[in-house]
């Protein structure tokens, strides 16, 4: 008999170790102490025993019952002290702050190009693209910059071989479009350009430009001014002022460089605008008749204007970014701010 009660206790302890929930513990209680449980089975044996053994046997069973009950109560007590909410056996703390999903963002330069596209789309401009690997003809000759032209050095260029190069300006796209289409033309051409500059806070061997071109009958410098005015007010804000300075580009005549009042110091003077209150943002002008001749446009009938701006430059001015290299380092701490 002693052996039997010992076995019951060992079995019970084994089963208690596997218990993880209150429900398991309750089931164990029924299995051992219930009306059809293991202890009751022993009780039922009592009347079958000889009369003189009954008392001793009954005492043993009662002792076993008390021990079993105390083991089971102990687990039930322990489990009911633990937090009720359990998810995959981990404690679920409803007071912890939630985890936000990490969402991707467009690169700041892509955002600027999108903004520029949107302003000009509203003014009726189509977005067009051209190749980055170009023929010398489109980068220079057709734009009125022959081999011996002194301004060639302004567009310092990576040559691949012979007359094939990496374009140094997006003005190439003007020619490619005009070769294929007759006026009226209203396009902007965003894209990468390349110049062998030493990399520093303001220079990079690759950067982005957006070129604009409008050709029609009776287009004047006043149209150019108003289109740029619309763009500047939308992109930089309506308090920003604009000024034109006479300049020179081989493919425009007259030509101008366009400045805006420094958006960082509002024209008061700071290190970004070299204490002048103005910063240059783009080049522009009326398309030179030599360029129209290259694409067989009637120079008596059509006039047009073109402009080109640096995407990095306007993004830096708008957001007060002081180093162009930040755009290319892919540092998430920088990029996630836009
Ligand atoms: N292509 C010129 C540059 O890269 C900018 C420009 C474009 C100027 C169109 C006038 C007209 O500097």
């Amino acid at each position: 008999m002693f052996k039997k009660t010992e076995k019951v206790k060992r079995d019970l302890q084994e089963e208690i170790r596997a218990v993880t929930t209150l429900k398991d513990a309750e089931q164990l209680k029924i299995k051992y102490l219930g009306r059809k449980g293991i202890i009751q089975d022993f009780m039922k044996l009592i009347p079958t025993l000889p009369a003189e053994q009954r008392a001793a046997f009954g005492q043993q069973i009662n002792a076993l019952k008390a021990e079993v009950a105390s083991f089971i109560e102990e687990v039930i007590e322990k489990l009911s002290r633990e937090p009720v909410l359990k998810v995959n056996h981990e404690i679920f703390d409803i007071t912890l702050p939630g985890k936000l999903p990490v969402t991707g963002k467009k690169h700041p330069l892509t955002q600027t190009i999108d903004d520029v596209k949107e302003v000009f789309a509203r003014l009726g401009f189509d977005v067009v693209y051209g190749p980055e690997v170009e023929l010398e003809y489109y980068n220079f000759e057709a734009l009125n910059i022959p081999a011996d032209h002194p301004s060639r050095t302004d567009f310092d260029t990576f040559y691949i071989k012979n007359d094939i190069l990496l374009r140094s300006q997006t003005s190439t796209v003007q020619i490619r479009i005009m070769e294929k289409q007759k006026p009226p033309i209203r396009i902007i051409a965003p894209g990468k350009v390349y110049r062998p500059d030493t990399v520093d806070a303001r220079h990079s061997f690759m950067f982005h430009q957006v070129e604009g071109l409008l050709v029609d009958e009776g287009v004047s410098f006043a149209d150019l001014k108003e289109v740029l005015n619309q763009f500047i007010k939308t992109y930089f804000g309506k308090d920003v002022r604009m000024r034109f300075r006479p300049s020179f580009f081989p493919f425009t005549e007259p030509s101008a460089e366009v400045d805006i009042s420094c958006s960082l110091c509002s024209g008061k003077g700071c290190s970004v605008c070299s204490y002048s209150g103005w910063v240059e943002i783009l080049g522009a002008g009326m398309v030179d008749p030599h360029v129209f001749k290259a694409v067989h446009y009637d120079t008596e009938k059509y006039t047009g204007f073109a402009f080109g701006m640096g995407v990095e430059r306007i993004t830096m001015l708008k957001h007060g970014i002081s180093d162009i290299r930040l755009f290319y380092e892919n540092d998430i701490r920088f990029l996630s701010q836009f």
Side-chain angles (χ1 to χ4, degrees):
M1 184 58 216
F2 176 73
K3 273 194 186 151
K4 276 193 182 157
T5 56
E6 281 307 300
K7 184 168 178 342
V8 171
K9 282 194 262 177
R10 256 186 284 118
D11 288 350
L12 173 62
Q13 264 153 355
E14 192 80 22
E15 288 194 88
I16 281 175
R17 249 175 266 139
V19 166
T20 53
T21 64
L22 273 174
K23 205 172 151 211
D24 294 346
E26 294 296 343
Q27 256 156 20
L28 212 54
K29 194 172 173 180
I30 295 166
K31 181 172 172 189
Y32 282 84
L33 302 168
R35 260 193 294 132
K36 293 178 184 163
I38 292 169
I39 301 291
Q40 275 304 315
D41 287 346
F42 281 116
M43 295 286 201
K44 280 178 202 150
L45 290 175
I46 296 175
T48 69
L49 294 172
E52 65 280 8
Q53 287 177 17
R54 286 182 197 162
F57 185 81
Q59 271 171 15
Q60 276 186 30
I61 299 302
N62 278 334
L64 177 65
K65 188 178 174 183
E67 264 189 290
V68 167
S70 88
F71 284 151
I72 294 176
E73 280 317 310
E74 203 181 309
V75 228
I76 290 178
E77 224 253 314
K78 194 174 137 230
L79 286 173
S80 49
R81 260 187 279 121
E82 280 179 9
V84 188
L85 283 173
K86 278 189 154 200
V87 177
N88 293 335
H89 302 295
E90 269 174 42
I91 295 172
F92 182 81
D93 184 348
I94 55 164
T95 64
L96 279 175
K99 284 184 195 153
L100 282 178
V102 184
T103 49
K105 280 182 178 178
K106 284 188 181 172
H107 190 280
L109 295 178
T110 309
Q111 290 185 32
T112 300
I113 292 173
D114 285 351
D115 290 348
V116 174
K117 280 186 201 166
E118 205 190 308
V119 179
F120 285 101
R122 268 188 259 150
L123 297 170
F125 284 73
D126 290 330
V127 183
V128 293
Y129 299 92
E132 287 167 32
V133 177
E134 249 311 357
L135 292 171
E136 204 176 21
Y137 173 78
Y138 290 100
N139 203 76
F140 293 125
E141 268 93 63
L143 288 162
N144 197 30
I145 322 177
D148 56 355
H149 199 287
S151 80
R152 271 232 186 176
T153 51
D154 296 342
F155 303 95
D156 221 6
T157 306
F158 284 114
Y159 279 86
I160 294 173
K161 64 175 197 193
N162 303 330
D163 59 344
I164 300 170
L165 46 76
L166 290 178
R167 69 178 177 194
S168 58
Q169 48 180 341
T170 43
S171 302
T172 51
V173 187
Q174 290 186 28
I175 307 298
R176 289 188 168 271
I177 293 295
M178 289 193 285
E179 271 184 347
K180 280 189 286 200
Q181 292 175 27
K182 295 275 152 253
I185 289 198
R186 232 188 264 202
I187 52 141
I188 56 163
K192 292 186 170 79
V193 297
Y194 301 84
R195 292 180 195 179
D197 280 326
T198 307
V199 177
D200 64 21
R202 281 162 178 259
H203 297 90
S204 166
F205 51 83
M206 182 285 297
F207 58 100
H208 298 74
Q209 287 188 330
V210 179
E211 186 84 5
L213 173 72
L214 185 147
V215 184
D216 207 342
E217 288 177 42
V219 177
S220 74
F221 204 92
D223 298 319
L224 167 63
K225 250 182 137 169
E226 183 46 25
V227 164
L228 292 180
N229 186 42
Q230 292 273 341
F231 163 67
I232 285 164
K233 296 268 150 88
T234 317
Y235 184 73
F236 288 102
K238 54 181 176 348
D239 297 330
V240 168
R241 283 163 297 134
M242 167 179 94
R243 78 176 182 189
F244 282 66
R245 275 182 294 106
S247 186
F248 175 80
F249 295 103
F251 32 89
T252 47
E253 181 61 34
S255 302
E257 272 174 325
V258 178
D259 298 341
I260 56 165
S261 54
C262 180
S263 52
L264 296 180
C265 64
S266 312
K268 285 187 205 79
C270 67
S271 62
V272 170
C273 59
S274 310
Y275 301 92
S276 69
W278 296 93
V279 282
E280 186 213 314
I281 61 153
L282 57 84
M286 301 305 290
V287 180
D288 193 295
H290 285 101
V291 174
F292 282 155
K293 278 192 188 125
V295 294
H296 312 295
Y297 275 12
D298 184 346
T299 53
E300 293 301 314
K301 195 170 169 193
Y302 297 113
T303 49
F305 64 73
F307 57 88
M309 63 184 119
V311 176
E312 279 79 351
R313 185 158 175 81
I314 63 169
T315 311
M316 288 168 84
L317 287 171
K318 182 166 174 170
H319 298 289
I321 299 162
S322 55
D323 197 320
I324 195 170
R325 289 169 289 198
L326 287 165
F327 290 124
Y328 316 119
E329 283 165 356
N330 278 338
D331 185 334
I332 204 81
R333 291 167 301 178
F334 170 73
L335 298 177
S336 62
Q337 294 178 51
F338 298 89

